[in-house]
Amino acid sequence: MAPFQETPEGAAPIDSVPLRFGVVLYPGFQALDAFGPLDALNALSLHYPTKLYIIADTLQPVSTKTPQNFEFPASSFAQSIVPTHTFENVPEIDVLIVPGGMGNRPPATMDSVINYIRQVYPRLQHLITVCTGSWLVAQAGILDGRKATTNKASFKRIAGLCPSVEWVGRARWVVDGNIWTSSGVTAGLDVIFAFIEKVYGEPVAKLLANWLEYERHTDSTWDPFAELYETQ
Amino acid sequence: MAPFQETPEGAAPIDSVPLRFGVVLYPGFQALDAFGPLDALNALSLHYPTKLYIIADTLQPVSTKTPQNFEFPASSFAQSIVPTHTFENVPEIDVLIVPGGMGNRPPATMDSVINYIRQVYPRLQHLITVCTGSWLVAQAGILDGRKATTNKASFKRIAGLCPSVEWVGRARWVVDGNIWTSSGVTAGLDVIFAFIEKVYGEPVAKLLANWLEYERHTDSTWDPFAELYETQ
């Protein structure tokens, strides 16, 4: 079959780019934190032979419903995603995506996620977080002394909990070395396209953003939510 | 427990708004077509006792992988969502969301989805489509003589296949009666916030968009992709 979409000139060669992706899920993850980046990468999979491992504590479907029952009483509104691997049996990956979500707050125990991030990070080419996903990475000790950002509504709380991180209060996303942290929820779309542009080439990022009909924020310091939530 | 977020003044009263949502899924649906609107509605579920029914042919998880294998050879990059109901046993709903996706193209058979849309529509308060979801609604005959839009990369093809619809070539979204159709993929975020604003109140839409750190397009005629894909 002819390719669905021609790969543009200027795309990075297949043998030069990371192809093995992982995403960690936990109960009460924020759906769009995961599915913003994942759907841009779904589109990338039309052009590169990529693999995705969906990683969780067990192979049971993981729900967006918060274990803390933050939802309105009597609400029954959630989506469940099927993991492909557990933390115990996930293959080697090149890029890890860590979504945020209300479900990562106490009394939830995030030890398995945090331990996995800590042990896999030295072998990653890139680590990408959305929203409070950066809080989990911070708890793994990987952000100590590094620049990073997070969800702006949770910024002050998280900055107070993890003072060893150089938190950036006005940022759609922040890159420090091979760690890409982004602000709340929809900022995941902007960080993933910045990542695709850098790694797979500008023509690829442009093609895929146009295909998702997404008007990117290409300035990483664009952040009207910094004023709104008084993070700077 | 105290509410996670205070419901703002000016929010529509609970007994005045639709609370029962359905989303139809099929193999090869576009993830973000579904999860853009759904995650805004996840946030709405912090304020209203909403219900979500995830509806498919069977209760087996539904994959974003296209049955037509549009992905790059050797790609293995997909997410699977667990339905809660089938077309045969779904309870009554007030609002139906229909995502698009490459998987709805021939030779895939979309009869069960189209038949469900046709039979449920007379009892809906609102019908919302994203991307080529409007093509499925058009095939159900419901858009005949109505204004609607769709994914702009697929616009000419779909307009040619369904000439009885008054397709709007420049539109982020279109409202005709109780049918809200939107353009490609990320346009689903703008149509759902327009819907939330209209039905649940402007303060609710504003709070939730800020919480998702989403800069809405509030002009339904904003559409740079009309020029790009020459749909007008």
Side-chain angles (χ1 to χ4, degrees), chain A residues 15-37:
Chain A
D15 60 7
S16 71
V17 293
L19 297 171
R20 300 173 302 177
F21 292 79
V23 61
V24 295
L25 297 187
Y26 50 87
F29 75 98
Q30 187 78 28
L32 198 48
D33 285 17
F35 281 99

Side-chain angles (χ1 to χ4, degrees), chain A residues 109-147:
Chain A
T109 302
M110 300 301 295
D111 291 353
S112 58
V113 174
I114 293 166
N115 288 340
Y116 173 69
I117 294 169
R118 186 184 294 119
Q119 67 88 357
V120 77
Y121 174 69
R123 302 192 303 284
L124 293 178
Q125 293 183 40
H126 300 273
L127 174 57
I128 301 171
T129 74
V130 184
C131 197
T132 60
S134 56
W135 184 36
L136 301 172
V137 177
Q139 290 176 80
I142 295 169
L143 290 179
D144 287 357
R146 294 211 196 217
K147 287 189 169 70

Side-chain angles (χ1 to χ4, degrees), chain A residues 30 32 39 42 45 48 50 52 72 75-76 79-80 82 152 172 183-184 186 210 212-213 215 217 229, chain B residues 30 32 39 42 45 48 50 52 72 75-76 79-80 82 152 172 183-184 186 210 212-213 215 217 229:
Chain A
Q30 187 78 28
L32 198 48
D39 211 34
N42 283 340
S45 78
Y48 290 90
T50 52
L52 175 66
F72 192 92
S75 273
S76 172
Q79 303 87 50
S80 290
V82 185
K152 294 309 182 311
R172 187 68 167 168
S183 193
T186 59
N210 283 337
L212 299 189
E213 298 190 24
E215 185 188 48
H217 297 291
Y229 295 111
Chain B
Q30 188 77 29
L32 198 48
D39 210 34
N42 283 339
S45 78
Y48 290 89
T50 52
L52 175 66
F72 193 91
S75 273
S76 171
Q79 304 87 51
S80 290
V82 184
K152 294 308 183 312
R172 188 66 168 169
S183 193
T186 59
N210 283 338
L212 299 189
E213 297 190 26
E215 184 189 47
H217 297 290
Y229 295 111

Side-chain angles (χ1 to χ4, degrees), chain B residues 166-199:
Chain B
E166 199 175 323
W167 295 103
V168 182
R170 177 188 302 280
R172 188 66 168 169
W173 74 90
V174 168
V175 188
D176 188 322
N178 64 352
I179 302 186
W180 307 64
T181 55
S182 64
S183 193
V185 195
T186 59
L189 281 163
D190 292 318
V191 75
I192 200 71
F193 279 116
F195 166 79
I196 290 171
E197 178 174 305
K198 170 83 174 171
V199 175

Side-chain angles (χ1 to χ4, degrees), chain B residues 73-117:
Chain B
S75 273
S76 171
F77 202 104
Q79 304 87 51
S80 290
I81 316 305
V82 184
T84 64
H85 292 80
T86 70
F87 296 115
E88 303 300 318
N89 72 1
V90 58
E92 288 299 307
I93 59 174
D94 305 314
V95 181
L96 180 65
I97 297 166
V98 182
M102 294 181 289
N104 66 24
R105 300 191 187 206
T109 301
M110 300 300 296
D111 291 354
S112 58
V113 174
I114 293 166
N115 287 339
Y116 172 69
I117 294 169

